[in-house]
C-alpha cells in the first residue's frame, strides 16, 4: 500500500519506512502475498524510544537471502538515531513479527526511559506502544497501589518488569511472574540496569505456578495483574483470588473480560471494585486500557 505518511508513527518513523521502501524498489524485492505464499518482503518492524531517541529496526522477510545485508545497513545508518538493525525470517503463512532475529549491525537492544527508569528493549520484548500514555498508566497503578515502603507486591504477567520496577522504590519487595523466559531475562536485566535490588522475577504460567510463588514469597499485600486480552481466565483467576491480597490493582486492555473477572472476584472472593480509571492508550480506535482498584470488602475481611 503506497502510503506517504503514517499518522501513527513519528516523522522519523516515516522517514525510515520511506528509505527502506526506496531501497526495496531499487533491489527489486517483491512484497509477500499471503494468499499465494509468493513474494519476499513481509514486515518492517520499527521501535523508537520516545524519551531516549534510540531506534531499533527489524526487516522481516520470507526465507532466502535475496539482498545484500551491508547495503540495507548503510541505508539505515544514515539515520543517527538507529542503534540496532535486525533481520528476521518468517517461514510460516501466519503474519507474525515476533520471530527470532539475526543482528545485522549495532547493539542487540535499545533503551527507553519511563518514570525515571531505563528499560532495555530487544525485538521481542513487550512495551506499550504509546510511551506518553504508558507513563500515565503506570502512574495510576502507583497511585492505586498506595504503597508505603513495606509491602510485599506481586506483579503478575510482569513482562519485562516495567510496572513492578516502577513500584519497587515504594515497596518492601516486588515479585514478578511471567510466562515468557525472554521477558523475565529482560526484567532481571532492567532491575540491574536501574540498581533495583528489592525485586525478583520468575518464569512460569500464572495459573500453574502462582501457588508455588506464594510459598516462596509469602503473603501478598498488593497484587498487580496485567493480563492479555482474554483476562485472567480459569485457574489464573482462581489462584489470584485465593491469594486474598488486601488490594488488587487490575490493568486491563479489554473491558469485557475485566467485567467478568471482577464479578468472579466479587462474588467468590469478597472483593469490591473501588475505582476504575480509563486510559486512552490507542487514540482514534475503540480500544481503551483501564486501571482498577479492588479491595477486600469489610464483610469479608474476617
Amino acid at each position: 500500500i503506497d502510503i506517504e505518511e503514517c499518522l501513527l508513527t513519528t516523522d522519523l518513523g516515516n522517514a525510515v519506512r520511506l528509505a527502506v521502501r526506496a531501497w526495496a524498489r531499487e533491489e527489486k524485492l517483491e512484497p509477500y502475498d499471503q494468499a499465494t505464499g509468493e513474494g519476499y518482503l513481509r514486515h518492517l518492524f520499527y521501535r523508537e524510544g520516545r524519551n531516549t531517541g534510540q531506534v531499533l529496526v527489524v526487516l522481516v522477510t520470507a526465507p532466502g537471502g535475496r539482498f545484500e545485508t551491508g547495503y540495507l545497513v548503510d541505508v539505515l545508518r544514515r539515520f543517527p538515531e538507529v542503534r540496532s538493525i535486525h533481520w528476521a525470517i518468517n517461514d510460516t503463512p501466519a503474519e507474525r513479527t515476533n520471530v527470532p532475529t539475526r543482528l545485522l549491525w549495532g547493539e542487540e537492544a535499545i533503551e527507553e526511559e519511563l518514570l525515571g527508569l531505563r528499560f532495555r528493549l530487544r525485538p521481542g520484548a513487550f512495551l506499550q506502544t504509546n510511551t506518553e500514555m504508558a507513563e500515565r498508566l503506570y502512574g495510576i497503578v502507583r497511585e492505586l497501589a498506595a504503597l508505603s515502603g513495606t509491602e510485599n507486591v506481586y506483579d503478575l504477567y510482569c513482562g519485562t518488569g516495567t510496572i513492578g520496577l516502577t513500584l519497587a522504590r515504594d515497596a518492601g519487595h516486588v515479585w514478578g511472574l511471567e510466562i515468557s523466559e525472554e521477558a523475565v531475562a529482560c526484567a532481571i536485566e532492567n532491575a540491574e540496569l536501574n540498581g533495583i535490588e528489592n525485586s525478583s522475577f520468575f518464569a512460569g504460567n500464572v495459573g500453574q505456578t502462582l501457588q508455588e510463588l506464594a510459598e516462596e514469597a509469602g503473603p501478598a499485600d498488593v497484587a498487580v495483574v496485567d493480563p492479555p486480552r482474554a483476562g485472567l481466565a480459569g485457574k489464573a483467576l482462581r489462584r489470584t483470588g485465593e491469594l486474598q491480597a488486601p488490594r488488587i490493582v487490575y490493568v486491563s486492555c479489554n473491558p469485557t473480560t475485566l467485567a467478568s473477572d471482577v464479578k468472579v472476584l466479587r462474588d467468590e472472593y469478597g472483593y469490591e471494585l473501588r475505582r476504575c480509571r480509563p486510559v486512552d492508550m490507542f487514540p482514534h480506535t475503540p480500544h481503551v486500557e483501564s486501571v482498577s482498584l479492588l479491595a477486600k470488602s469489610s464483610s469479608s475481611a474476617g
Side-chain angles (χ1 to χ4, degrees), residues 5 17 24 31 54 64 66 69 82 180 185 193 205 212 216 221 224 226 228 231 236 249 257 294:
E5 181 183 14
R17 178 178 54 80
Q54 299 179 13
R66 302 187 193 176
T69 58
V82 173
S180 166
L193 183 65
N205 178 288
E212 186 180 333
E216 166 82 16
D221 298 305
V224 179
D226 186 7
V249 179
T257 54
L294 293 95

Short mmCIF file of all heavy atoms in Angstrom, two decimals, residues 5 17 24 31 54 64 66 69 82 180 185 193 205 212 216 221 224 226 228 231 236 249 257 294:
data_model
loop_
_atom_site.label_atom_id
_atom_site.label_comp_id
_atom_site.label_asym_id
_atom_site.label_seq_id
_atom_site.Cartn_x
_atom_site.Cartn_y
_atom_site.Cartn_z
N GLU A 5 2.57 9.02 4.34
CA GLU A 5 2.70 9.38 5.75
C GLU A 5 1.77 8.52 6.60
O GLU A 5 0.56 8.50 6.36
CB GLU A 5 2.38 10.86 5.97
CG GLU A 5 2.53 11.28 7.43
CD GLU A 5 2.14 12.73 7.67
OE1 GLU A 5 1.52 13.34 6.78
OE2 GLU A 5 2.44 13.24 8.76
N ARG A 17 10.81 4.34 7.15
CA ARG A 17 9.98 3.48 6.30
C ARG A 17 10.15 3.83 4.82
O ARG A 17 10.28 2.95 3.96
CB ARG A 17 8.51 3.63 6.71
CG ARG A 17 7.54 2.82 5.88
CD ARG A 17 6.11 2.99 6.37
NE ARG A 17 5.73 4.39 6.43
CZ ARG A 17 5.33 5.11 5.37
NH1 ARG A 17 5.28 4.53 4.16
NH2 ARG A 17 4.98 6.37 5.50
N ALA A 24 14.06 -1.15 -1.18
CA ALA A 24 13.43 -2.39 -1.65
C ALA A 24 13.09 -2.30 -3.14
O ALA A 24 13.24 -3.27 -3.89
CB ALA A 24 12.18 -2.68 -0.83
N PRO A 31 6.83 -7.63 -2.60
CA PRO A 31 6.09 -7.85 -1.35
C PRO A 31 5.51 -9.26 -1.30
O PRO A 31 5.20 -9.85 -2.33
CB PRO A 31 4.97 -6.81 -1.41
CG PRO A 31 4.81 -6.49 -2.85
CD PRO A 31 6.17 -6.64 -3.47
N GLN A 54 16.42 6.59 20.71
CA GLN A 54 17.07 5.43 20.12
C GLN A 54 16.07 4.60 19.31
O GLN A 54 14.92 4.44 19.72
CB GLN A 54 17.69 4.56 21.22
CG GLN A 54 18.76 5.27 22.03
CD GLN A 54 19.34 4.39 23.11
OE1 GLN A 54 19.13 3.17 23.12
NE2 GLN A 54 20.07 4.99 24.03
N GLY A 64 15.21 -17.04 2.43
CA GLY A 64 16.11 -16.76 1.31
C GLY A 64 16.84 -15.45 1.48
O GLY A 64 16.26 -14.46 1.92
N ARG A 66 17.96 -12.70 -0.38
CA ARG A 66 17.83 -12.07 -1.70
C ARG A 66 18.37 -10.64 -1.72
O ARG A 66 18.15 -9.92 -2.68
CB ARG A 66 16.36 -12.06 -2.13
CG ARG A 66 15.73 -13.45 -2.20
CD ARG A 66 14.35 -13.38 -2.79
NE ARG A 66 13.62 -14.62 -2.59
CZ ARG A 66 12.35 -14.82 -2.95
NH1 ARG A 66 11.69 -13.83 -3.53
NH2 ARG A 66 11.76 -15.98 -2.73
N THR A 69 23.06 -7.62 2.79
CA THR A 69 22.73 -7.03 4.10
C THR A 69 23.49 -5.74 4.37
O THR A 69 22.97 -4.83 5.00
CB THR A 69 23.00 -8.05 5.22
OG1 THR A 69 24.37 -8.45 5.18
CG2 THR A 69 22.11 -9.28 5.08
N VAL A 82 19.24 5.41 14.66
CA VAL A 82 19.16 3.96 14.54
C VAL A 82 20.37 3.33 15.22
O VAL A 82 21.51 3.56 14.84
CB VAL A 82 19.08 3.52 13.06
CG1 VAL A 82 19.17 2.00 12.95
CG2 VAL A 82 17.77 4.00 12.44
N SER A 180 6.91 -15.77 29.63
CA SER A 180 7.99 -15.64 28.65
C SER A 180 9.34 -15.58 29.34
O SER A 180 9.64 -14.64 30.08
CB SER A 180 7.79 -14.39 27.79
OG SER A 180 8.97 -14.08 27.07
N ALA A 185 14.10 -12.57 31.55
CA ALA A 185 15.52 -12.22 31.46
C ALA A 185 15.69 -10.72 31.30
O ALA A 185 16.59 -10.11 31.91
CB ALA A 185 16.17 -12.96 30.29
N LEU A 193 20.03 -2.81 35.64
CA LEU A 193 20.33 -1.56 34.95
C LEU A 193 20.00 -0.35 35.82
O LEU A 193 20.69 0.67 35.79
CB LEU A 193 19.54 -1.50 33.64
CG LEU A 193 19.75 -0.32 32.70
CD1 LEU A 193 21.18 -0.31 32.15
CD2 LEU A 193 18.76 -0.37 31.55
N ASN A 205 3.77 -20.02 34.12
CA ASN A 205 2.37 -19.75 33.84
C ASN A 205 1.68 -19.33 35.14
O ASN A 205 1.80 -20.01 36.16
CB ASN A 205 1.72 -21.01 33.26
CG ASN A 205 0.25 -20.84 32.98
OD1 ASN A 205 -0.56 -20.77 33.90
ND2 ASN A 205 -0.10 -20.79 31.71
N GLU A 212 3.08 -21.76 43.87
CA GLU A 212 4.49 -22.00 44.17
C GLU A 212 5.20 -20.69 44.52
O GLU A 212 6.01 -20.63 45.45
CB GLU A 212 5.16 -22.65 42.95
CG GLU A 212 6.59 -23.09 43.17
CD GLU A 212 7.16 -23.73 41.91
OE1 GLU A 212 6.38 -24.30 41.11
OE2 GLU A 212 8.39 -23.65 41.74
N GLU A 216 7.10 -19.26 48.14
CA GLU A 216 8.44 -18.66 48.17
C GLU A 216 8.41 -17.24 48.71
O GLU A 216 9.27 -16.84 49.50
CB GLU A 216 9.01 -18.65 46.75
CG GLU A 216 10.24 -17.78 46.54
CD GLU A 216 11.53 -18.44 46.97
OE1 GLU A 216 11.53 -19.68 47.16
OE2 GLU A 216 12.52 -17.72 47.13
N ASP A 221 0.63 -8.31 49.92
CA ASP A 221 -0.12 -7.15 50.42
C ASP A 221 -0.87 -6.48 49.28
O ASP A 221 -1.97 -5.98 49.45
CB ASP A 221 0.82 -6.15 51.08
CG ASP A 221 1.54 -6.74 52.29
OD1 ASP A 221 0.84 -7.23 53.19
OD2 ASP A 221 2.78 -6.71 52.32
N VAL A 224 -0.66 -6.86 41.61
CA VAL A 224 -0.89 -6.13 40.37
C VAL A 224 -0.98 -7.16 39.25
O VAL A 224 -0.10 -8.01 39.11
CB VAL A 224 0.25 -5.14 40.08
CG1 VAL A 224 -0.01 -4.40 38.77
CG2 VAL A 224 0.40 -4.14 41.22
N ASP A 226 -1.73 -7.68 35.02
CA ASP A 226 -1.81 -7.03 33.71
C ASP A 226 -1.92 -8.12 32.65
O ASP A 226 -1.00 -8.35 31.86
CB ASP A 226 -0.57 -6.17 33.49
CG ASP A 226 -0.66 -5.34 32.20
OD1 ASP A 226 -1.73 -5.34 31.56
OD2 ASP A 226 0.35 -4.70 31.84
N PRO A 228 -3.35 -10.58 29.37
CA PRO A 228 -3.68 -10.32 27.96
C PRO A 228 -5.18 -10.07 27.78
O PRO A 228 -5.95 -10.07 28.76
CB PRO A 228 -3.23 -11.60 27.25
CG PRO A 228 -3.24 -12.65 28.32
CD PRO A 228 -2.89 -11.94 29.60
N GLY A 231 -8.05 -11.78 29.61
CA GLY A 231 -8.25 -11.60 31.04
C GLY A 231 -7.53 -12.67 31.85
O GLY A 231 -6.68 -13.41 31.34
N ALA A 236 -5.88 -19.07 36.57
CA ALA A 236 -5.18 -17.84 36.98
C ALA A 236 -6.09 -16.95 37.81
O ALA A 236 -5.67 -16.34 38.80
CB ALA A 236 -4.67 -17.10 35.76
N VAL A 249 -4.65 -4.46 42.04
CA VAL A 249 -4.67 -3.43 41.01
C VAL A 249 -4.68 -4.16 39.66
O VAL A 249 -3.75 -4.86 39.32
CB VAL A 249 -3.45 -2.50 41.12
CG1 VAL A 249 -3.50 -1.44 40.02
CG2 VAL A 249 -3.40 -1.83 42.49
N THR A 257 -13.61 -8.61 29.41
CA THR A 257 -13.05 -9.63 30.30
C THR A 257 -12.78 -9.06 31.69
O THR A 257 -12.85 -9.78 32.68
CB THR A 257 -11.77 -10.24 29.71
OG1 THR A 257 -10.84 -9.19 29.39
CG2 THR A 257 -12.08 -11.02 28.45
N LEU A 294 -9.34 -3.08 43.32
CA LEU A 294 -10.25 -3.97 44.03
C LEU A 294 -9.71 -4.17 45.45
O LEU A 294 -8.51 -4.36 45.65
CB LEU A 294 -10.36 -5.32 43.33
CG LEU A 294 -11.02 -5.32 41.95
CD1 LEU A 294 -9.96 -5.22 40.86
CD2 LEU A 294 -11.87 -6.55 41.74
#
